[in-house]
Amino acid sequence: MKLETWKLETISCIQRRLLVITFIVTAAEKSLIQAELKQSRPFRNVEQEAFLAIQRTADELQSRAAEVLKPYGISPTQFNVLRILRGAEPKGHKCGEIGDRMVKRDPDITRLLDRMERSGLITRSRDVRDRRVVVTRITQKGLEILRKLDRPIDDFGRDLLGHVGERRLKVLLKLLDEVRTGRK
């Protein structure tokens, strides 16, 4: 940030002092992500800083979500699968369709589904018309876990993000859409 003297001459004394104080505070301030990462040097650019802030935030959210789900005996990834399958009831989804809808992609979706089937959370069966297709459906046990989690998950979202406010959350959503899609 560079203060230009010609601009200082056109504003009042109080405005000038506020501008100088703002300049000094802004120049000296470390960003919160810089402080959290205990980084003494500034980031190379704002894109790097934003990238790391997004990663750190996602990790924090994931960690907190895991704590909410832990008493119910499921992971965030398993919760995601159950949520997807509840929305596909009663038809179910093929393995690839589940993978396409995952919030966090799991490279080994088949093994994840194997574990969930052994836990009684899902069932898999061959499609009657095409025996090559395996359809996955949520079980009553899986539905019951989701029913028990509906309120805690809603509360979790409000507790975590409610202070930001609806208007600012909508702006955040649009910005995150731009980041994911690479478009304005």
Side-chain angles (χ1 to χ4, degrees), residues 60-181:
E60 182 67 26
L61 295 174
Q62 189 74 9
S63 176
R64 290 183 187 183
E67 289 302 313
V68 171
L69 298 172
K70 194 175 192 175
Y72 299 89
I74 62 171
S75 69
T77 306
Q78 291 172 322
F79 173 73
N80 193 10
V81 170
L82 292 175
R83 183 190 61 76
I84 291 165
L85 291 175
R86 177 169 61 180
E89 259 199 314
K91 192 175 103 176
H93 278 309
K94 295 182 273 187
C95 182
E97 291 172 330
I98 295 169
D100 290 344
R101 288 170 167 79
M102 296 287 286
V103 173
K104 185 176 180 183
R105 304 216 190 270
D106 189 322
D108 200 356
I109 190 81
T110 304
R111 220 175 299 191
L112 171 67
L113 295 178
D114 287 344
R115 287 191 306 273
M116 292 180 74
E117 187 173 33
R118 282 193 301 272
S119 298
L121 300 172
I122 64 166
T123 60
R124 290 186 283 184
S125 58
R126 298 239 174 240
D127 187 298
V128 222
R129 292 178 305 237
D130 186 347
R131 300 286 299 150
R132 297 170 296 175
V133 176
V134 177
V135 178
T136 305
R137 292 179 182 84
I138 190 169
T139 64
Q140 279 307 117
K141 181 179 177 181
L143 285 170
E144 186 57 35
I145 288 174
L146 286 183
R147 272 193 286 276
K148 289 177 183 175
L149 272 166
D150 282 338
R151 178 62 142 293
I153 291 295
D154 287 347
D155 293 344
F156 170 70
R158 272 190 296 280
D159 292 346
L160 204 61
L161 301 170
H163 69 283
V164 177
E166 186 176 339
R167 188 175 53 79
R168 289 175 55 201
L169 285 172
K170 286 180 180 180
V171 170
L172 176 62
L173 288 168
K174 286 183 190 273
L175 291 171
L176 291 172
D177 288 346
E178 281 183 37
V179 170
R180 274 193 323 282
T181 62

